[in-house]
Amino acid sequence: MENCANIIHDYYLLISFQIEVKKKMDENLRKSVTRWRLASAALVVLCALLIILVIGIVMSKNREIQAKDVPSCGLRFKSNMDTSEPEHPDIFHDLTSREMKAVQNYLISVPELNLELSNLRMNSSYIAGIDYILPPKKDVLAYLDDSRSPPARKAKVIILRGDLNPPVVEEYVVAPLSNPSSHTLIDYPNRRNPVAFSMRPFTGIEFKGISEVMKKVDEQIGDILRESYGATFNDCGDTCLYYLPNIVSSAITGDFTRRMWLQVAYLVEYYTIHPVDLLLYVNVDGTDPSQFRVEKVVYGGQYRNSLAELAADYVSGDVVKSKMTFPTVDKNLFSTLHRRGFPASPTEEQRQPQFVEPDGARYRIKHRQIEYMNWRFHVRMATYNGPQIHDVRFAGKRIAYEIGLQEIAAFYAGDAPTFRMANYIDSVASFGQQARALVPGVDCPETATYLSTRQVSDNQEGSVKSERSFCVFELNTGYPLRRHLQYYHFRGSFYGGMVDNCLIVRTILCLNNYDYIIDFIFHQSGIVETKIVSTGYIFGGVYNDQEKNYGFQIADQLVGNIHHHLFNFKVDLDVMGTSNRYETLDIKLVNVSNSKWLNGLNTIQSQIKFDRSLKKTELDAVYKYNFDTPKEHIFHNDAFKTRFNVPRAYKVQLSGMSKQILPEDKLNERSIPWARYQMAVTKYSDNEVSSSSIYGNSDGLQPVVNFTQYLADDENIVDEDLVLWMSMGMYHIPHSEDLPLTQTPGKHMTILISPYNYFPEDPSMSSRDQVRVQLKEPSNPKAGVRVDRYFNKPNTACVSNYKETDFDKDVEENPRNILDV
């Protein structure tokens, strides 16, 4: 039995050993299989990756080949762009660099003018600006229409004569521009020349003089500035104070002494919305900056008569001390223009839509003459008045001799004197000198063509070229110019429409904190439109309870005060010549009886009609908008009528009218009398060139250009050469969404000049841009439709030439094309 037990035990051990061996063999086999499976899977993945890589390389090569086969846009037609400076400029062309240099060289050679070239001071004699003088209109028309000799080109030069006693501002005419040999003080029949030095335009030389005042401020109250604001004006590193100047009109001060209120602010991006509660009333009269002085101070809302008085009261504790902290300057500072805020949109890095001209630009430029479809005109940048267009023709016929900006004003209100006396009349800054640096893809579409301008200021030798003062582009507005769909068969079943493709000439004037976008727009229907839009930084102050009726608190310690933007344009219409009339079509109520239609029931129905009203004199023609007296404004030559004996006219419309409610002929309102009217119509005069002047900021006590004089003689305007002076505007009460910049939507103001029975039908009917859809067989609608387009569309696509990096590279290599470096 024992042997049997041993045998069974040994057998059990053997079986157990065999089982264990089998388990280990199975485990090794499984591991081996797993390793082979993993290796096979890795090999499959590697093969797939290699296949994808090969396919990618092949597709990339195919795309390269295809890209080489796709032409760049615009290659079908030869470019017609010549934006160069002409050797022999035409009659409307701005002064060329050669002409400016010739004028400078001549004037420098005149001993009695005593012009200086370097180290300019307030008591120097120096050139503030040079502008082209448009010849008398009759001479220009004789040249354009009657093949007479072109009138001589002349320049107007403004010289600040700080070297004289008393100092004055003088305006000279210099001629001929081909080889200047004469200069004459301009004898204006309706304005004075010279002008008092206290009314001078802003220049960089004056700002240097004001900096001497700021040194005195630091010397006398520097400790107060550091303790109250953590900053000073000089030797301040990255924590500096700056100022925004407001010239106080002579109409307010009652004399011709030049004074300014300075709103002190932190010098950060951007200083006009980082004010501190320090205001300085500065006398900057005369030509000796050492005599410039602070006459009044407002510190924390507390008035003092001098810096010394403030310093003494600060030490004695007789003023409540102010305390403000210098802003932390980073991308999150609310006034900076870095991207921040909500999560980035779009969520993916997708580029914005771009403009494409598949067959190239459909307009032509020859120096400063531009042709588009049936339009032809000239563009220029006047030194003092800014953008202008001349000799505007449609289908060969002149519509307007001149359309151009005259003045921009902004009148503020508030408790603080810096707001109360801030009546900006902005041509003091010389508009043409403020038009520069348009940015492709933002300020203008990628397809735009750019025009440069040249300006002279502060007696600099030669002239400064601004590479991108104007941009010219055709815009697909994405909006129909006209369209109609007649869907139902029993009414004809057709569609006809045309997108509003138009040409735009644009400039942007940067007037310190505000930017003004100005467009001249040319529609294919014969309509020309002038538009102005505002954007930029607001002018802010320190909030307190006294300002709550003038503005909202929109950030910590910041108030944005109410102000009124005002704009004036000159429109010299020539409809079928210079013998024009101005009529209004006055829309009125009329009561009519329906008795003959209603079987003798005598019901009275009110409806509207219009009466024609011919305006006979200038005072008869002044227009102040009134909702109770709606009307249309038409201008025509009485000798030209349709076959139905209707005047062939042009209609003028204003969008953006704004009532100026300040009392007339009081204080600084005297400098903007053009704003009393939405439109005034005067008989053309070579002596009534502009509605305003660069002296308007200071001259309210005795305006250099008094627009009311243009109307006071009340001349006949029937069958005369007529000029329209058109005003627009808007009130602005800033709100928090105006931070950091005000936005353009809702701020578009336009002058629309439209044909009105001038053509037998809409002239855009000749355009190839229209589309027609109709039934192939009108009697059999089920046969389908036919789409008619009026050009041969090529089969190949095209690739845009525009790259953002082109602009980036340009400004990296030429930084002065965008910033002052």
Side-chain angles (χ1 to χ4, degrees), residues 183-204:
H183 65 288
T184 307
L185 198 66
I186 302 176
D187 183 14
Y188 295 107
N190 56 356
R191 53 181 284 189
R192 60 191 181 277
N193 183 30
V195 174
F197 196 68
S198 62
M199 298 182 189
R200 61 190 177 271
F202 265 136
T203 66

mmCIF file with all atom_site columns, all heavy atoms in Angstrom, residues 183-204:
data_model
loop_
_atom_site.group_PDB
_atom_site.id
_atom_site.type_symbol
_atom_site.label_atom_id
_atom_site.label_alt_id
_atom_site.label_comp_id
_atom_site.label_asym_id
_atom_site.label_entity_id
_atom_site.label_seq_id
_atom_site.pdbx_PDB_ins_code
_atom_site.Cartn_x
_atom_site.Cartn_y
_atom_site.Cartn_z
_atom_site.occupancy
_atom_site.B_iso_or_equiv
_atom_site.pdbx_formal_charge
_atom_site.auth_seq_id
_atom_site.auth_comp_id
_atom_site.auth_asym_id
_atom_site.auth_atom_id
_atom_site.pdbx_PDB_model_num
ATOM 1   N N   . HIS A 1 183 ? 7.377   138.350 -55.747 1.00 0.00 ? 183 HIS A N   1
ATOM 2   C CA  . HIS A 1 183 ? 6.543   138.018 -54.584 1.00 0.00 ? 183 HIS A CA  1
ATOM 3   C C   . HIS A 1 183 ? 5.773   139.273 -54.225 1.00 0.00 ? 183 HIS A C   1
ATOM 4   O O   . HIS A 1 183 ? 6.324   140.376 -54.179 1.00 0.00 ? 183 HIS A O   1
ATOM 5   C CB  . HIS A 1 183 ? 7.385   137.540 -53.409 1.00 0.00 ? 183 HIS A CB  1
ATOM 6   C CG  . HIS A 1 183 ? 8.302   138.580 -52.859 1.00 0.00 ? 183 HIS A CG  1
ATOM 7   N ND1 . HIS A 1 183 ? 9.437   139.016 -53.530 1.00 0.00 ? 183 HIS A ND1 1
ATOM 8   C CD2 . HIS A 1 183 ? 8.254   139.312 -51.704 1.00 0.00 ? 183 HIS A CD2 1
ATOM 9   C CE1 . HIS A 1 183 ? 10.048  139.942 -52.833 1.00 0.00 ? 183 HIS A CE1 1
ATOM 10  N NE2 . HIS A 1 183 ? 9.355   140.151 -51.709 1.00 0.00 ? 183 HIS A NE2 1
ATOM 11  N N   . THR A 1 184 ? 4.498   139.100 -53.984 1.00 0.00 ? 184 THR A N   1
ATOM 12  C CA  . THR A 1 184 ? 3.626   140.239 -53.705 1.00 0.00 ? 184 THR A CA  1
ATOM 13  C C   . THR A 1 184 ? 2.733   139.909 -52.532 1.00 0.00 ? 184 THR A C   1
ATOM 14  O O   . THR A 1 184 ? 2.136   138.818 -52.480 1.00 0.00 ? 184 THR A O   1
ATOM 15  C CB  . THR A 1 184 ? 2.752   140.573 -54.934 1.00 0.00 ? 184 THR A CB  1
ATOM 16  O OG1 . THR A 1 184 ? 3.594   140.746 -56.084 1.00 0.00 ? 184 THR A OG1 1
ATOM 17  C CG2 . THR A 1 184 ? 1.937   141.830 -54.691 1.00 0.00 ? 184 THR A CG2 1
ATOM 18  N N   . LEU A 1 185 ? 2.650   140.832 -51.577 1.00 0.00 ? 185 LEU A N   1
ATOM 19  C CA  . LEU A 1 185 ? 1.709   140.673 -50.485 1.00 0.00 ? 185 LEU A CA  1
ATOM 20  C C   . LEU A 1 185 ? 0.298   140.674 -51.073 1.00 0.00 ? 185 LEU A C   1
ATOM 21  O O   . LEU A 1 185 ? -0.084  141.600 -51.790 1.00 0.00 ? 185 LEU A O   1
ATOM 22  C CB  . LEU A 1 185 ? 1.870   141.814 -49.486 1.00 0.00 ? 185 LEU A CB  1
ATOM 23  C CG  . LEU A 1 185 ? 1.291   141.608 -48.091 1.00 0.00 ? 185 LEU A CG  1
ATOM 24  C CD1 . LEU A 1 185 ? 2.029   140.494 -47.351 1.00 0.00 ? 185 LEU A CD1 1
ATOM 25  C CD2 . LEU A 1 185 ? 1.361   142.899 -47.289 1.00 0.00 ? 185 LEU A CD2 1
ATOM 26  N N   . ILE A 1 186 ? -0.464  139.624 -50.806 1.00 0.00 ? 186 ILE A N   1
ATOM 27  C CA  . ILE A 1 186 ? -1.769  139.474 -51.447 1.00 0.00 ? 186 ILE A CA  1
ATOM 28  C C   . ILE A 1 186 ? -2.716  140.555 -50.944 1.00 0.00 ? 186 ILE A C   1
ATOM 29  O O   . ILE A 1 186 ? -2.869  140.760 -49.729 1.00 0.00 ? 186 ILE A O   1
ATOM 30  C CB  . ILE A 1 186 ? -2.359  138.078 -51.170 1.00 0.00 ? 186 ILE A CB  1
ATOM 31  C CG1 . ILE A 1 186 ? -1.407  136.982 -51.667 1.00 0.00 ? 186 ILE A CG1 1
ATOM 32  C CG2 . ILE A 1 186 ? -3.715  137.927 -51.845 1.00 0.00 ? 186 ILE A CG2 1
ATOM 33  C CD1 . ILE A 1 186 ? -1.860  135.569 -51.346 1.00 0.00 ? 186 ILE A CD1 1
ATOM 34  N N   . ASP A 1 187 ? -3.324  141.254 -51.879 1.00 0.00 ? 187 ASP A N   1
ATOM 35  C CA  . ASP A 1 187 ? -4.277  142.326 -51.556 1.00 0.00 ? 187 ASP A CA  1
ATOM 36  C C   . ASP A 1 187 ? -5.688  141.753 -51.683 1.00 0.00 ? 187 ASP A C   1
ATOM 37  O O   . ASP A 1 187 ? -6.280  141.742 -52.759 1.00 0.00 ? 187 ASP A O   1
ATOM 38  C CB  . ASP A 1 187 ? -4.077  143.509 -52.506 1.00 0.00 ? 187 ASP A CB  1
ATOM 39  C CG  . ASP A 1 187 ? -5.007  144.682 -52.171 1.00 0.00 ? 187 ASP A CG  1
ATOM 40  O OD1 . ASP A 1 187 ? -5.584  144.674 -51.065 1.00 0.00 ? 187 ASP A OD1 1
ATOM 41  O OD2 . ASP A 1 187 ? -5.168  145.565 -53.032 1.00 0.00 ? 187 ASP A OD2 1
ATOM 42  N N   . TYR A 1 188 ? -6.221  141.271 -50.564 1.00 0.00 ? 188 TYR A N   1
ATOM 43  C CA  . TYR A 1 188 ? -7.567  140.708 -50.566 1.00 0.00 ? 188 TYR A CA  1
ATOM 44  C C   . TYR A 1 188 ? -8.592  141.840 -50.455 1.00 0.00 ? 188 TYR A C   1
ATOM 45  O O   . TYR A 1 188 ? -8.474  142.689 -49.564 1.00 0.00 ? 188 TYR A O   1
ATOM 46  C CB  . TYR A 1 188 ? -7.766  139.758 -49.384 1.00 0.00 ? 188 TYR A CB  1
ATOM 47  C CG  . TYR A 1 188 ? -6.921  138.517 -49.395 1.00 0.00 ? 188 TYR A CG  1
ATOM 48  C CD1 . TYR A 1 188 ? -5.847  138.382 -48.517 1.00 0.00 ? 188 TYR A CD1 1
ATOM 49  C CD2 . TYR A 1 188 ? -7.203  137.456 -50.243 1.00 0.00 ? 188 TYR A CD2 1
ATOM 50  C CE1 . TYR A 1 188 ? -5.084  137.224 -48.491 1.00 0.00 ? 188 TYR A CE1 1
ATOM 51  C CE2 . TYR A 1 188 ? -6.436  136.292 -50.237 1.00 0.00 ? 188 TYR A CE2 1
ATOM 52  C CZ  . TYR A 1 188 ? -5.378  136.187 -49.354 1.00 0.00 ? 188 TYR A CZ  1
ATOM 53  O OH  . TYR A 1 188 ? -4.620  135.046 -49.328 1.00 0.00 ? 188 TYR A OH  1
ATOM 54  N N   . PRO A 1 189 ? -9.620  141.844 -51.294 1.00 0.00 ? 189 PRO A N   1
ATOM 55  C CA  . PRO A 1 189 ? -10.637 142.896 -51.175 1.00 0.00 ? 189 PRO A CA  1
ATOM 56  C C   . PRO A 1 189 ? -11.581 142.696 -49.994 1.00 0.00 ? 189 PRO A C   1
ATOM 57  O O   . PRO A 1 189 ? -12.268 143.639 -49.588 1.00 0.00 ? 189 PRO A O   1
ATOM 58  C CB  . PRO A 1 189 ? -11.399 142.795 -52.504 1.00 0.00 ? 189 PRO A CB  1
ATOM 59  C CG  . PRO A 1 189 ? -11.198 141.395 -52.958 1.00 0.00 ? 189 PRO A CG  1
ATOM 60  C CD  . PRO A 1 189 ? -9.835  140.987 -52.474 1.00 0.00 ? 189 PRO A CD  1
ATOM 61  N N   . ASN A 1 190 ? -11.637 141.484 -49.438 1.00 0.00 ? 190 ASN A N   1
ATOM 62  C CA  . ASN A 1 190 ? -12.627 141.204 -48.394 1.00 0.00 ? 190 ASN A CA  1
ATOM 63  C C   . ASN A 1 190 ? -12.022 140.594 -47.132 1.00 0.00 ? 190 ASN A C   1
ATOM 64  O O   . ASN A 1 190 ? -12.731 140.021 -46.315 1.00 0.00 ? 190 ASN A O   1
ATOM 65  C CB  . ASN A 1 190 ? -13.724 140.296 -48.943 1.00 0.00 ? 190 ASN A CB  1
ATOM 66  C CG  . ASN A 1 190 ? -13.170 139.002 -49.512 1.00 0.00 ? 190 ASN A CG  1
ATOM 67  O OD1 . ASN A 1 190 ? -11.949 138.802 -49.568 1.00 0.00 ? 190 ASN A OD1 1
ATOM 68  N ND2 . ASN A 1 190 ? -14.050 138.116 -49.948 1.00 0.00 ? 190 ASN A ND2 1
ATOM 69  N N   . ARG A 1 191 ? -10.706 140.703 -46.952 1.00 0.00 ? 191 ARG A N   1
ATOM 70  C CA  . ARG A 1 191 ? -10.064 140.206 -45.735 1.00 0.00 ? 191 ARG A CA  1
ATOM 71  C C   . ARG A 1 191 ? -8.718  140.906 -45.565 1.00 0.00 ? 191 ARG A C   1
ATOM 72  O O   . ARG A 1 191 ? -8.135  141.401 -46.518 1.00 0.00 ? 191 ARG A O   1
ATOM 73  C CB  . ARG A 1 191 ? -9.861  138.691 -45.775 1.00 0.00 ? 191 ARG A CB  1
ATOM 74  C CG  . ARG A 1 191 ? -9.138  138.180 -46.989 1.00 0.00 ? 191 ARG A CG  1
ATOM 75  C CD  . ARG A 1 191 ? -8.987  136.683 -47.008 1.00 0.00 ? 191 ARG A CD  1
ATOM 76  N NE  . ARG A 1 191 ? -7.947  136.215 -46.105 1.00 0.00 ? 191 ARG A NE  1
ATOM 77  C CZ  . ARG A 1 191 ? -7.513  134.955 -46.082 1.00 0.00 ? 191 ARG A CZ  1
ATOM 78  N NH1 . ARG A 1 191 ? -8.054  134.053 -46.885 1.00 0.00 ? 191 ARG A NH1 1
ATOM 79  N NH2 . ARG A 1 191 ? -6.570  134.584 -45.234 1.00 0.00 ? 191 ARG A NH2 1
ATOM 80  N N   . ARG A 1 192 ? -8.234  140.932 -44.339 1.00 0.00 ? 192 ARG A N   1
ATOM 81  C CA  . ARG A 1 192 ? -7.008  141.665 -44.064 1.00 0.00 ? 192 ARG A CA  1
ATOM 82  C C   . ARG A 1 192 ? -5.777  140.788 -44.275 1.00 0.00 ? 192 ARG A C   1
ATOM 83  O O   . ARG A 1 192 ? -5.816  139.571 -44.117 1.00 0.00 ? 192 ARG A O   1
ATOM 84  C CB  . ARG A 1 192 ? -7.021  142.233 -42.650 1.00 0.00 ? 192 ARG A CB  1
ATOM 85  C CG  . ARG A 1 192 ? -7.153  141.217 -41.525 1.00 0.00 ? 192 ARG A CG  1
ATOM 86  C CD  . ARG A 1 192 ? -7.433  141.931 -40.208 1.00 0.00 ? 192 ARG A CD  1
ATOM 87  N NE  . ARG A 1 192 ? -7.548  141.026 -39.072 1.00 0.00 ? 192 ARG A NE  1
ATOM 88  C CZ  . ARG A 1 192 ? -8.660  140.387 -38.760 1.00 0.00 ? 192 ARG A CZ  1
ATOM 89  N NH1 . ARG A 1 192 ? -9.749  140.522 -39.521 1.00 0.00 ? 192 ARG A NH1 1
ATOM 90  N NH2 . ARG A 1 192 ? -8.705  139.584 -37.691 1.00 0.00 ? 192 ARG A NH2 1
ATOM 91  N N   . ASN A 1 193 ? -4.688  141.404 -44.618 1.00 0.00 ? 193 ASN A N   1
ATOM 92  C CA  . ASN A 1 193 ? -3.386  140.770 -44.802 1.00 0.00 ? 193 ASN A CA  1
ATOM 93  C C   . ASN A 1 193 ? -2.345  141.876 -44.724 1.00 0.00 ? 193 ASN A C   1
ATOM 94  O O   . ASN A 1 193 ? -2.420  142.809 -45.533 1.00 0.00 ? 193 ASN A O   1
ATOM 95  C CB  . ASN A 1 193 ? -3.308  140.070 -46.164 1.00 0.00 ? 193 ASN A CB  1
ATOM 96  C CG  . ASN A 1 193 ? -1.984  139.338 -46.358 1.00 0.00 ? 193 ASN A CG  1
ATOM 97  O OD1 . ASN A 1 193 ? -1.384  138.871 -45.403 1.00 0.00 ? 193 ASN A OD1 1
ATOM 98  N ND2 . ASN A 1 193 ? -1.533  139.267 -47.604 1.00 0.00 ? 193 ASN A ND2 1
ATOM 99  N N   . PRO A 1 194 ? -1.438  141.876 -43.757 1.00 0.00 ? 194 PRO A N   1
ATOM 100 C CA  . PRO A 1 194 ? -1.118  140.816 -42.806 1.00 0.00 ? 194 PRO A CA  1
ATOM 101 C C   . PRO A 1 194 ? -2.188  140.610 -41.727 1.00 0.00 ? 194 PRO A C   1
ATOM 102 O O   . PRO A 1 194 ? -3.116  141.383 -41.591 1.00 0.00 ? 194 PRO A O   1
ATOM 103 C CB  . PRO A 1 194 ? 0.194   141.301 -42.176 1.00 0.00 ? 194 PRO A CB  1
ATOM 104 C CG  . PRO A 1 194 ? 0.711   142.355 -43.064 1.00 0.00 ? 194 PRO A CG  1
ATOM 105 C CD  . PRO A 1 194 ? -0.479  142.985 -43.684 1.00 0.00 ? 194 PRO A CD  1
ATOM 106 N N   . VAL A 1 195 ? -1.949  139.543 -40.931 1.00 0.00 ? 195 VAL A N   1
ATOM 107 C CA  . VAL A 1 195 ? -2.827  139.163 -39.834 1.00 0.00 ? 195 VAL A CA  1
ATOM 108 C C   . VAL A 1 195 ? -2.021  139.220 -38.538 1.00 0.00 ? 195 VAL A C   1
ATOM 109 O O   . VAL A 1 195 ? -0.819  138.933 -38.525 1.00 0.00 ? 195 VAL A O   1
ATOM 110 C CB  . VAL A 1 195 ? -3.392  137.744 -40.060 1.00 0.00 ? 195 VAL A CB  1
ATOM 111 C CG1 . VAL A 1 195 ? -4.196  137.272 -38.868 1.00 0.00 ? 195 VAL A CG1 1
ATOM 112 C CG2 . VAL A 1 195 ? -4.239  137.708 -41.326 1.00 0.00 ? 195 VAL A CG2 1
ATOM 113 N N   . ALA A 1 196 ? -2.683  139.587 -37.452 1.00 0.00 ? 196 ALA A N   1
ATOM 114 C CA  . ALA A 1 196 ? -2.008  139.675 -36.161 1.00 0.00 ? 196 ALA A CA  1
ATOM 115 C C   . ALA A 1 196 ? -1.324  138.351 -35.815 1.00 0.00 ? 196 ALA A C   1
ATOM 116 O O   . ALA A 1 196 ? -1.859  137.265 -36.046 1.00 0.00 ? 196 ALA A O   1
ATOM 117 C CB  . ALA A 1 196 ? -3.009  140.051 -35.076 1.00 0.00 ? 196 ALA A CB  1
ATOM 118 N N   . PHE A 1 197 ? -0.140  138.430 -35.245 1.00 0.00 ? 197 PHE A N   1
ATOM 119 C CA  . PHE A 1 197 ? 0.669   137.258 -34.921 1.00 0.00 ? 197 PHE A CA  1
ATOM 120 C C   . PHE A 1 197 ? -0.034  136.350 -33.918 1.00 0.00 ? 197 PHE A C   1
ATOM 121 O O   . PHE A 1 197 ? 0.178   135.136 -33.903 1.00 0.00 ? 197 PHE A O   1
ATOM 122 C CB  . PHE A 1 197 ? 2.023   137.714 -34.361 1.00 0.00 ? 197 PHE A CB  1
ATOM 123 C CG  . PHE A 1 197 ? 3.080   136.655 -34.347 1.00 0.00 ? 197 PHE A CG  1
ATOM 124 C CD1 . PHE A 1 197 ? 3.610   136.153 -35.527 1.00 0.00 ? 197 PHE A CD1 1
ATOM 125 C CD2 . PHE A 1 197 ? 3.568   136.163 -33.145 1.00 0.00 ? 197 PHE A CD2 1
ATOM 126 C CE1 . PHE A 1 197 ? 4.597   135.179 -35.514 1.00 0.00 ? 197 PHE A CE1 1
ATOM 127 C CE2 . PHE A 1 197 ? 4.551   135.190 -33.112 1.00 0.00 ? 197 PHE A CE2 1
ATOM 128 C CZ  . PHE A 1 197 ? 5.071   134.693 -34.305 1.00 0.00 ? 197 PHE A CZ  1
ATOM 129 N N   . SER A 1 198 ? -0.901  136.925 -33.088 1.00 0.00 ? 198 SER A N   1
ATOM 130 C CA  . SER A 1 198 ? -1.606  136.124 -32.090 1.00 0.00 ? 198 SER A CA  1
ATOM 131 C C   . SER A 1 198 ? -2.587  135.144 -32.711 1.00 0.00 ? 198 SER A C   1
ATOM 132 O O   . SER A 1 198 ? -3.052  134.224 -32.040 1.00 0.00 ? 198 SER A O   1
ATOM 133 C CB  . SER A 1 198 ? -2.346  137.044 -31.118 1.00 0.00 ? 198 SER A CB  1
ATOM 134 O OG  . SER A 1 198 ? -3.317  137.820 -31.796 1.00 0.00 ? 198 SER A OG  1
ATOM 135 N N   . MET A 1 199 ? -2.909  135.318 -34.005 1.00 0.00 ? 199 MET A N   1
ATOM 136 C CA  . MET A 1 199 ? -3.858  134.430 -34.685 1.00 0.00 ? 199 MET A CA  1
ATOM 137 C C   . MET A 1 199 ? -3.157  133.376 -35.543 1.00 0.00 ? 199 MET A C   1
ATOM 138 O O   . MET A 1 199 ? -3.804  132.671 -36.314 1.00 0.00 ? 199 MET A O   1
ATOM 139 C CB  . MET A 1 199 ? -4.805  135.262 -35.560 1.00 0.00 ? 199 MET A CB  1
ATOM 140 C CG  . MET A 1 199 ? -5.635  136.226 -34.767 1.00 0.00 ? 199 MET A CG  1
ATOM 141 S SD  . MET A 1 199 ? -6.776  137.152 -35.813 1.00 0.00 ? 199 MET A SD  1
ATOM 142 C CE  . MET A 1 199 ? -7.371  138.352 -34.637 1.00 0.00 ? 199 MET A CE  1
ATOM 143 N N   . ARG A 1 200 ? -1.862  133.268 -35.398 1.00 0.00 ? 200 ARG A N   1
ATOM 144 C CA  . ARG A 1 200 ? -1.054  132.384 -36.243 1.00 0.00 ? 200 ARG A CA  1
ATOM 145 C C   . ARG A 1 200 ? -1.529  130.932 -36.175 1.00 0.00 ? 200 ARG A C   1
ATOM 146 O O   . ARG A 1 200 ? -2.077  130.492 -35.156 1.00 0.00 ? 200 ARG A O   1
ATOM 147 C CB  . ARG A 1 200 ? 0.410   132.457 -35.809 1.00 0.00 ? 200 ARG A CB  1
ATOM 148 C CG  . ARG A 1 200 ? 0.635   132.008 -34.380 1.00 0.00 ? 200 ARG A CG  1
ATOM 149 C CD  . ARG A 1 200 ? 2.051   132.317 -33.896 1.00 0.00 ? 200 ARG A CD  1
ATOM 150 N NE  . ARG A 1 200 ? 2.246   131.940 -32.498 1.00 0.00 ? 200 ARG A NE  1
ATOM 151 C CZ  . ARG A 1 200 ? 2.007   132.729 -31.478 1.00 0.00 ? 200 ARG A CZ  1
ATOM 152 N NH1 . ARG A 1 200 ? 1.533   133.952 -31.682 1.00 0.00 ? 200 ARG A NH1 1
ATOM 153 N NH2 . ARG A 1 200 ? 2.225   132.308 -30.238 1.00 0.00 ? 200 ARG A NH2 1
ATOM 154 N N   . PRO A 1 201 ? -1.305  130.169 -37.231 1.00 0.00 ? 201 PRO A N   1
ATOM 155 C CA  . PRO A 1 201 ? -1.587  128.724 -37.186 1.00 0.00 ? 201 PRO A CA  1
ATOM 156 C C   . PRO A 1 201 ? -0.583  128.024 -36.279 1.00 0.00 ? 201 PRO A C   1
ATOM 157 O O   . PRO A 1 201 ? 0.508   128.539 -36.011 1.00 0.00 ? 201 PRO A O   1
ATOM 158 C CB  . PRO A 1 201 ? -1.426  128.284 -38.648 1.00 0.00 ? 201 PRO A CB  1
ATOM 159 C CG  . PRO A 1 201 ? -0.477  129.291 -39.232 1.00 0.00 ? 201 PRO A CG  1
ATOM 160 C CD  . PRO A 1 201 ? -0.781  130.589 -38.551 1.00 0.00 ? 201 PRO A CD  1
ATOM 161 N N   . PHE A 1 202 ? -0.951  126.830 -35.824 1.00 0.00 ? 202 PHE A N   1
ATOM 162 C CA  . PHE A 1 202 ? -0.045  126.021 -35.010 1.00 0.00 ? 202 PHE A CA  1
ATOM 163 C C   . PHE A 1 202 ? 1.183   125.631 -35.832 1.00 0.00 ? 202 PHE A C   1
ATOM 164 O O   . PHE A 1 202 ? 1.073   125.266 -37.005 1.00 0.00 ? 202 PHE A O   1
ATOM 165 C CB  . PHE A 1 202 ? -0.731  124.733 -34.564 1.00 0.00 ? 202 PHE A CB  1
ATOM 166 C CG  . PHE A 1 202 ? -1.359  124.824 -33.209 1.00 0.00 ? 202 PHE A CG  1
ATOM 167 C CD1 . PHE A 1 202 ? -2.622  124.305 -32.996 1.00 0.00 ? 202 PHE A CD1 1
ATOM 168 C CD2 . PHE A 1 202 ? -0.696  125.400 -32.140 1.00 0.00 ? 202 PHE A CD2 1
ATOM 169 C CE1 . PHE A 1 202 ? -3.211  124.363 -31.740 1.00 0.00 ? 202 PHE A CE1 1
ATOM 170 C CE2 . PHE A 1 202 ? -1.280  125.463 -30.880 1.00 0.00 ? 202 PHE A CE2 1
ATOM 171 C CZ  . PHE A 1 202 ? -2.544  124.945 -30.686 1.00 0.00 ? 202 PHE A CZ  1
ATOM 172 N N   . THR A 1 203 ? 2.335   125.667 -35.213 1.00 0.00 ? 203 THR A N   1
ATOM 173 C CA  . THR A 1 203 ? 3.556   125.136 -35.826 1.00 0.00 ? 203 THR A CA  1
ATOM 174 C C   . THR A 1 203 ? 4.364   124.409 -34.765 1.00 0.00 ? 203 THR A C   1
ATOM 175 O O   . THR A 1 203 ? 4.154   124.597 -33.551 1.00 0.00 ? 203 THR A O   1
ATOM 176 C CB  . THR A 1 203 ? 4.433   126.259 -36.429 1.00 0.00 ? 203 THR A CB  1
ATOM 177 O OG1 . THR A 1 203 ? 4.923   127.088 -35.365 1.00 0.00 ? 203 THR A OG1 1
ATOM 178 C CG2 . THR A 1 203 ? 3.659   127.094 -37.430 1.00 0.00 ? 203 THR A CG2 1
ATOM 179 N N   . GLY A 1 204 ? 5.306   123.624 -35.214 1.00 0.00 ? 204 GLY A N   1
ATOM 180 C CA  . GLY A 1 204 ? 6.189   122.941 -34.278 1.00 0.00 ? 204 GLY A CA  1
ATOM 181 C C   . GLY A 1 204 ? 7.037   123.907 -33.479 1.00 0.00 ? 204 GLY A C   1
ATOM 182 O O   . GLY A 1 204 ? 7.446   123.602 -32.347 1.00 0.00 ? 204 GLY A O   1
#
